[in-house]
Amino acid sequence: MAGILRPRKIEPGCLRRWARNGRDLWQRRPGLLLLNALTIFGVSALVPRILGVPLLLEIPLSALFFVELRALDQGGRGDWATIWALFQGNLKDIAYLTRDAFVFLFFIVLLLFLSSDVVHAGASVAHTAAVLSPLQQLTQNLLPWLGNALFSGVGWASLLASPVSGPLLFLTLLLGHALRMHLYTAFQGAFLNQKITIALLCLNILIGPLVGSLSLVLLPLLGHTMTGILLEILTIGLLQVLITVDYLWSREMFEGTTENAPSTLKSSSAVKEEVPLTVASMAGPPAMGSHPAKGSLL
């Protein structure tokens, strides 16, 4: 059975603190940022937007980025041996979380599809759908792969901007899969840190309209293709910022850690583990109010 971590209130000055810590972590292995950007672009461009199919890769990849930050955070230099060992150690829990998110989204879409036959508003829905948002208009005029990358990237960023997504992923990696308990804990943390929650919710709602509005400004100056490329670069950058903020916020809220561990010359992968390496095995001392997971190395 997974352990329980009680969320705590974030200390003032968190934005400056997270900016400093995030910059310090990625400076330890800057090549990872470029590799992550290429991965995000490739997945967003190639994965079809059918039901919840993008979630099947977006959630595991977000978990992989969290694992990279964890490896960098614990004094190592983020070598692939450590990152891959950490990812493998949590692969089953990541798969369970991905499955639950996909099933939930599938049934939501199915319910909306069935309810559209019940509600006598088909004509007005069709008329409303005919009026496309600026972002949809832009993606329809781009090369298929670029339009798909931009639209999917905005959706991925909206997912990570949810005040619950980051803490849920962090808790799953740290304590194992326990969806209902982790959702309850994540919502507790969201209510405890209302200012951060409101800021993330506003970003979650406004990402699409903001990108669409920016496209209206850039289109007359740059044309469709260059506008799409520039907005895709900005979206990928926003995604990596959100991943970093989600990790640092969750780390501080659940572990009480406000600063990175000092960088060391030796990689943590040089030490052979007798059991699979997991995110939990790289945690510091248990935070007050926490209970170690059964069988974990907390």
Side-chain angles (χ1 to χ4, degrees):
M1 181 178 177
I4 299 174
L5 287 177
R6 295 177 184 172
R8 67 193 68 212
K9 192 171 181 62
I10 300 298
E11 298 178 6
C14 59
L15 292 181
R16 291 192 300 272
R17 188 164 59 249
W18 296 341
R20 183 182 68 251
N21 285 332
R23 184 173 61 251
D24 173 62
L25 288 177
W26 290 118
Q27 282 177 345
R28 298 179 184 184
R29 191 75 184 272
L32 281 177
L33 273 178
L34 178 59
L35 183 60
N36 291 346
L38 294 174
T39 303
I40 291 169
F41 175 74
V43 169
S44 300
L46 299 177
V47 176
R49 300 195 306 268
I50 303 173
L51 291 178
V53 170
L55 279 175
L56 296 177
L57 285 177
E58 289 174 359
I59 293 178
L61 283 175
S62 298
L64 176 60
F65 301 149
F66 264 50
V67 164
E68 291 174 357
L69 284 162
R70 191 63 165 191
L72 295 170
D73 184 21
Q74 296 301 316
R77 297 195 302 192
D79 59 284
W80 276 113
T82 300
I83 292 171
W84 182 241
L86 276 169
F87 189 71
Q88 280 186 311
N90 292 275
L91 193 56
K92 182 185 291 186
D93 297 317
I94 295 167
Y96 286 150
L97 179 62
T98 304
R99 175 204 62 189
D100 291 346
F102 179 82
V103 170
F104 175 76
L105 182 60
F106 176 82
F107 277 107
I108 290 295
V109 172
L110 182 62
L111 182 62
L112 292 174
F113 176 78
L114 293 176
S115 64
S116 65
D117 294 332
V118 178
V119 179
H120 187 64
S124 65
V125 169
H127 176 71
T128 303
V131 182
L132 300 178
S133 68
L135 179 59
Q136 290 172 317
Q137 293 178 28
L138 174 64
T139 55
Q140 286 193 350
N141 288 283
L142 295 174
L143 295 171
W145 56 269
L146 181 56
N148 195 60
L150 180 58
F151 202 87
S152 297
V154 170
W156 194 346
S158 298
L159 173 68
L160 290 174
S162 165
V164 174
S165 297
L168 176 61
L169 184 56
F170 184 89
L171 289 169
T172 300
L173 289 170
L174 191 64
L175 300 176
H177 179 68
L179 182 63
R180 287 182 294 178
M181 185 176 69
H182 294 338
L183 275 175
Y184 174 75
T185 306
F187 275 110
Q188 274 189 319
F191 283 113
L192 190 61
N193 297 281
Q194 294 181 7
K195 291 183 180 179
I196 298 174
T197 298
I198 292 172
L200 287 173
L201 279 175
C202 290
L203 186 59
N204 172 266
I205 295 170
L206 295 175
I207 284 177
L210 286 174
V211 174
S213 300
L214 188 56
S215 72
L216 294 178
V217 176
L218 295 176
L219 270 174
L221 302 174
L222 303 176
H224 286 91
T225 301
M226 287 304 300
T227 296
I229 292 174
L230 179 58
L231 290 178
E232 175 63 13
I233 293 172
L234 292 175
T235 301
I236 291 174
L238 176 62
L239 264 167
Q240 302 208 66
V241 169
L242 286 171
I243 289 164
T244 307
V245 169
D246 277 347
Y247 172 79
L248 294 173
W249 176 36
S250 302
R251 183 188 71 175
E252 185 169 340
M253 181 165 56
F254 296 119
E255 294 183 312
T257 304
T258 57
E259 298 296 335
N260 305 329
S263 179
T264 58
L265 295 178
K266 292 184 178 180
S267 167
S268 56
S269 64
V271 181
K272 294 184 178 180
E273 298 283 345
E274 297 180 358
V275 295
L277 189 63
T278 64
V279 169
S281 69
M282 299 184 75
M288 289 184 61
S290 66
H291 303 278
K294 183 178 180 181
S296 76
L297 300 179
L298 274 171

